[in-house]
Amino acid sequence: MENDLWYLIGSVRGGENRIRIIRLLEERPHNANQLAGRLGLSYNTVRYHLDRLCEHGIVEAGGQRYGELYHLTERFERHREAFEAVTERAG
């Protein structure tokens, strides 16, 4: 998981936005439109980042296809310390 986090956050463009998405999902599940509004990003940008986070098992979607809510996975929760370490080093 730490390698996935380092790749997604520390080594590619968009890492800062992915951190912001994860921080909002720590508060509660959101749909892509809600995240876009809260972050001041386009819907397509948020969907792109959510797709990458889903591919790496950090975020998953639940509920209906339209307006589906995204939340952090149990796998991510088990590796939260790695996330904090990566964000600290990347920052």
Side-chain angles (χ1 to χ4, degrees):
M1 171 65 90
E2 188 168 349
N3 290 337
D4 287 341
L5 289 167
W6 186 249
Y7 169 74
L8 289 168
I9 293 168
S11 68
V12 296
R13 288 183 49 196
E16 182 179 325
N17 285 330
R18 291 178 184 146
I19 292 169
R20 294 170 63 206
I21 289 169
I22 290 168
R23 294 289 185 210
L24 284 176
L25 294 177
E26 287 176 327
E27 296 173 10
R28 66 177 177 80
H30 289 77
N31 66 34
N33 192 49
Q34 292 168 328
L35 289 167
R38 296 226 18 221
L39 297 171
L41 299 172
S42 74
Y43 175 84
N44 288 337
T45 297
V46 169
R47 284 303 315 251
Y48 173 81
H49 290 304
L50 287 170
D51 288 346
R52 301 299 77 73
L53 292 168
C54 285
E55 286 172 6
H56 290 273
I58 294 168
V59 169
E60 62 187 0
Q64 302 174 2
R65 176 74 179 140
Y66 178 78
E68 62 191 345
L69 296 176
Y70 290 86
H71 59 276
L72 300 172
T73 64
E74 289 182 28
R75 178 178 181 241
F76 172 83
E77 295 296 348
R78 288 192 308 270
H79 295 91
R80 180 175 291 281
E81 289 180 19
F83 170 71
E84 297 301 340
V86 168
T87 57
E88 188 174 302
R89 284 186 283 170

